[in-house]
Amino acid sequence: MTACAIEPSADPGSGGPPRAGCSIAAEGAYAARLTRSGDSWYPERWTLDGPEPYAVPLPGNQPEEPGTEVQPMGDGRVLVHRTAAGRHLFSLLYPTGPGTGELPLGAVECPADTTRLRLLPPAPGGERAYALAVGPRTTVLWQVAGGAFGPERVAEVPGRCSGGAWLDRTGRILAVDRETGGRTKAVVVDLERDGEVSPLLQIAADSDDRILLADPDSGLALIRSDAPSPGRGRLGWGVLGSTLPVRFPECLRLTDCVVTPFAIQPGQALTPERCAVALRVDGAFGSWVAVWRPAEREVRHLPAPEGWLAGAGWWTAEGELRLPCATPSSPCAVARLAAPDAEGSGGAGGAGAAGGTGGGSAEDAEESAPHGPDGSGGSDGPDRLGTPDRPDTSAAPAPAPPRPVPLQQAPLARLVTK
């Protein structure tokens, strides 16, 4: 899920995709957005897991600033991130009869001229929330909600980090895009190992490789890289733990449009290439919805429902795409779109997150990552998302989740390279 913003705007400093019109909890029970009445901005919580969606306004003692970030927690409270004179203030809002209750959580102080701080996407479980404070040379990961004593410093990562995608269902493994030496590469931060950092994606030594979205069930990950087209980012996909490199489908190259994945169909553990992926498409004539599956060679374009909070939505495991909408006549609504049936669903074999995806052929019209003269991945780093590497858990009472770490080479058999 992406963080909430008032209007579509790129992630500051990252050259990233447009933000979504609201933030949705990882489990899909609640959403939150910043809306306004007249000239006054205020947070609003949406309840999504009942028979009908409904919204609860949460105005504070004074109007919010337009840049205030809001995020739903798993218990229905709304996290609010405000800024004032270099201090980042965090509070939890909740309805109390006719009014709004507020629980201050504390503040993080950052030099206003050198550091920016923003919320990460909602963490699985909904009990904790995190933020990245990006400085000139390092990035600090903060737990801003769910701690015992207010905001807690979790880790410091060398380089300037942006983006953010959760790779597991426990909220332990976080992927971020780290800029060092003028290049951006996706890395993994292990929150239970004192913020230990390991590489996740490096397609070529001189490419910018970002992770946009990942599904913990199937391991399907959507990435953006300029490796196949230097100087121009291309949308690609891979599977965590796969034996194949990431691929860059030709059908995802839409002229004069920005294509942003915002939701992956969950529950497809054995067939990641059959996962339906919801795309936000921004063009000269507005924004609309598209649906694509890695196993297909086409993107299905759908008209956006009226009042869609652009870039926000979630899939059910059964393949229904749900999009939050707000219009003057229906200020809180959810449009439901059934995903088009996958073509040839009986003929593809997916091997799951740890074993790789179904094989490709020359007819796939996809590009793999650039490769060396020996047919392997680039000599300066891995060109695929890696196989899981499990931490030492001999003294732990329960096994730890797999940590995706890339290998040095990836086979390119049966893949098209241009």
Side-chain angles (χ1 to χ4, degrees):
M1 306 295 177
T2 52
C4 177
I6 307 308
E7 297 176 353
S9 59
D11 185 12
S14 71
R19 292 180 177 176
C22 78
S23 175
I24 303 175
E27 282 69 34
Y30 296 100
R33 67 170 183 149
L34 201 63
T35 187
R36 66 179 174 180
S37 175
D39 294 330
S40 298
W41 296 93
Y42 62 90
E44 184 178 72
R45 186 199 72 190
W46 288 28
T47 299
L48 304 173
D49 60 351
E52 295 291 338
Y54 65 92
V56 176
L58 296 172
N61 296 326
Q62 60 185 24
E64 304 289 350
E65 295 294 327
T68 299
E69 288 187 294
V70 296
Q71 187 174 110
M73 304 297 290
D75 58 6
R77 294 183 292 179
V78 172
L79 175 67
V80 178
H81 167 214
R82 306 179 178 108
T83 59
R87 301 182 76 234
H88 297 262
L89 310 172
F90 298 91
S91 295
L92 289 174
L93 304 182
Y94 54 92
T96 57
T100 301
E102 181 167 344
L103 175 64
L105 298 176
V108 175
E109 294 194 16
C110 299
D113 56 341
T114 60
T115 302
R116 62 180 180 86
L117 185 146
R118 63 172 182 82
L119 293 176
L120 283 168
E127 297 179 356
R128 296 169 291 176
Y130 296 88
L132 288 179
V134 186
R137 291 177 295 276
T138 62
T139 299
V140 177
L141 175 64
W142 289 87
Q143 181 178 333
V144 297
F149 306 104
E152 300 176 5
R153 187 185 179 108
V154 176
E156 183 170 352
V157 180
R160 298 174 56 84
C161 296
S162 59
W166 297 99
L167 303 187
D168 66 339
R169 293 289 183 192
T170 66
R172 170 181 175 175
I173 306 297
L174 173 68
V176 295
D177 304 322
R178 182 176 66 172
E179 179 190 348
T180 56
R183 294 296 174 188
T184 300
K185 305 291 183 183
V187 298
V188 166
V189 182
D190 190 332
L191 274 60
E192 291 189 6
R193 287 186 137 187
D194 298 322
E196 179 182 278
V197 178
S198 56
L200 176 65
L201 182 65
Q202 180 171 304
I203 297 178
D206 58 351
S207 62
D208 291 322
D209 312 315
R210 296 180 169 91
I211 185 164
L212 304 180
L213 200 63
D215 174 59
D217 293 336
S218 62
L220 178 64
L222 277 295
I223 67 106
R224 193 180 302 278
S225 173
D226 62 357
S229 303
R232 182 179 178 87
R234 289 274 302 273
L235 194 62
W237 68 279
V239 179
L240 299 173
S242 171
T243 58
L244 296 177
V246 296
R247 301 194 227 178
F248 299 87
E250 195 68 27
C251 64
L252 295 180
R253 300 182 71 178
L254 303 182
T255 305
D256 298 326
C257 292
V258 177
V259 182
T260 308
F262 65 88
I264 299 176
Q265 181 183 359
Q268 312 298 305
L270 299 179
T271 54
E273 61 282 298
R274 295 295 164 189
C275 292
V277 179
L279 307 170
R280 168 182 175 172
V281 186
D282 292 283
F285 300 101
S287 303
W288 64 93
V289 184
V291 176
W292 167 79
R293 289 182 173 88
E296 297 181 351
R297 296 194 295 272
E298 65 175 331
V299 174
R300 321 268 182 116
H301 295 269
L302 307 171
E306 183 181 3
W308 177 41
L309 303 181
W314 72 101
W315 286 101
T316 66
E318 294 73 30
E320 184 178 69
L321 178 61
R322 299 184 179 180
L323 305 173
C325 307
T327 65
S329 59
S330 299
C332 178
V334 174
R336 302 185 176 190
L337 304 177
D341 292 336
E343 295 181 356
S345 59
T357 64
S361 66
E363 290 78 23
D364 285 343
E366 293 187 351
E367 293 186 34
S368 70
H371 56 283
D374 60 349
S376 67
S379 60
D380 293 292
D383 63 351
R384 68 179 175 86
L385 299 170
T387 52
D389 174 32
R390 299 182 180 274
D392 181 12
T393 57
S394 57
R403 299 173 60 250
V405 177
L407 300 184
Q408 292 299 316
Q409 297 180 347
L412 298 173
R414 299 188 297 170
L415 291 180
V416 176
T417 55
K418 298 180 180 179

